[in-house]
C-alpha cells in the first residue's frame, strides 16, 4: 500500500536540505518520478538528492541532453523528460539500463511518459501552494508517495533536520 507524506519548504536552501535527507536514505535501483510546473524547484530538489548521495558535481537541468550522470556513493542518473512525448523516444538511449541499474534514477517531468515506471517508483510532486497563509514566492509543497516503509521515518528525519 502506498504511503504519502507532505513537507513544506520555505526556501531554496530548505528544499535542498529535504532532498539531501532523502538522498542519504536511497539505495541502488531506486527510481524517483519528480513532477511540478516550471520554476517549482525540481532541479533544486535534485541538487539536494545529489548531496545526499555525495556526488562530486552539482546537478543542473538536463533538458537538452535528456540525461546526466553524476558519480557519488551511488551513481545518480538525472533525466529530464520535458521535451519527450513517448517511451519510444527514450528507448534510443537505453533508459532501462539506468532504471534497472545500480544507481538512483531521478526523472523530472515523469508524468509526460506513461507506462515505463515500475510500481516501486517514488512519486514526488512539488507545487507552489495557493493557500492564503503561505507566501507563494518562497514556500513549496513537496508531496512524496511511495511503497517503502522508510517514508514515515523520512518525514520525521526531515522535520528534525529542519529544526536544527
Amino acid at each position: 500500500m502506498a504511503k504519502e507524506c507532505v513537507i513544506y519548504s520555505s526556501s531554496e536552501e530548505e528544499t535542498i536540505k529535504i532532498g539531501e535527507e532523502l538522498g542519504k536514505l536511497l539505495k541502488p535501483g531506486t527510481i524517483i518520478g519528480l513532477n511540478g510546473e516550471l520554476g517549482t524547484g525540481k532541479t533544486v530538489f535534485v541538487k539536494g538528492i545529489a548531496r545526499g548521495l555525495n556526488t562530486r558535481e552539482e546537478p543542473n537541468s538536463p533538458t537538452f541532453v535528456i540525461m546526466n550522470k553524476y558519480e557519488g556513493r551511488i551513481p545518480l542518473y538525472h533525466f529530464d523528460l520535458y521535451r519527450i512525448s513517448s517511451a519510444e523516444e527514450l528507448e534510443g538511449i537505453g533508459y532501462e539500463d539506468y532504471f534497472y541499474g545500480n544507481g538512483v534514477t531521478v526523472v523530472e517531468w515523469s508524468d509526460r511518459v506513461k507506462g515505463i515506471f515500475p510500481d516501486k517508483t517514488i512519486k514526488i510532486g512539488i507545487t507552489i501552494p495557493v493557500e492564503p497563509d503561505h507566501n507563494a514566492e518562497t514556500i513549496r509543497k513537496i508531496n512524496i508517495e511511495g511503497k517503502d516503509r522508510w517514508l514515515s521515518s523520512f518525514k520525521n528525519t526531515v522535520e528534525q533536520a529542519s529544526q536544527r
Side-chain angles (χ1 to χ4, degrees), residues 7-135:
I7 301 168
Y8 286 90
S9 169
S10 60
S11 67
E12 186 172 307
E13 295 78 24
E14 193 172 353
T15 300
I16 289 172
K17 185 65 177 163
I18 294 166
E20 181 178 1
E21 293 300 324
L22 177 62
K24 290 176 184 177
L25 298 173
L26 297 177
K27 295 178 174 35
T30 300
I31 301 171
I32 296 174
L34 185 56
N35 292 294
E37 296 299 318
L38 287 170
T40 55
K42 294 180 298 297
T43 302
V44 170
F45 192 81
V46 175
K47 288 178 183 183
I49 291 173
R51 278 190 195 172
L53 295 173
N54 297 321
T55 63
R56 295 178 189 96
E57 296 177 68
E58 183 174 273
N60 48 30
S61 181
T63 300
F64 297 102
V65 294
I66 301 174
M67 194 275 294
N68 285 328
K69 178 181 178 182
Y70 301 96
E71 293 297 332
R73 170 177 62 81
I74 301 169
L76 171 61
Y77 309 120
H78 180 201
F79 284 79
D80 186 318
L81 303 186
Y82 185 72
R83 299 186 184 283
I84 300 294
S85 60
S86 70
E88 291 78 27
E89 291 180 65
L90 288 174
E91 289 173 5
I93 63 168
Y95 77 90
E96 298 97 340
D97 294 339
Y98 300 103
F99 276 35
Y100 302 102
N102 295 325
V104 169
T105 303
V106 179
V107 183
E108 291 189 41
W109 301 98
S110 63
D111 57 351
R112 293 206 181 256
V113 178
K114 307 291 184 212
I116 64 169
F117 295 94
D119 288 343
K120 68 176 186 169
T121 301
I122 298 168
K123 298 173 185 170
I124 300 177
I126 302 177
T127 57
I128 300 172
V130 293
E131 293 90 13
D133 60 333
H134 288 87
N135 181 347

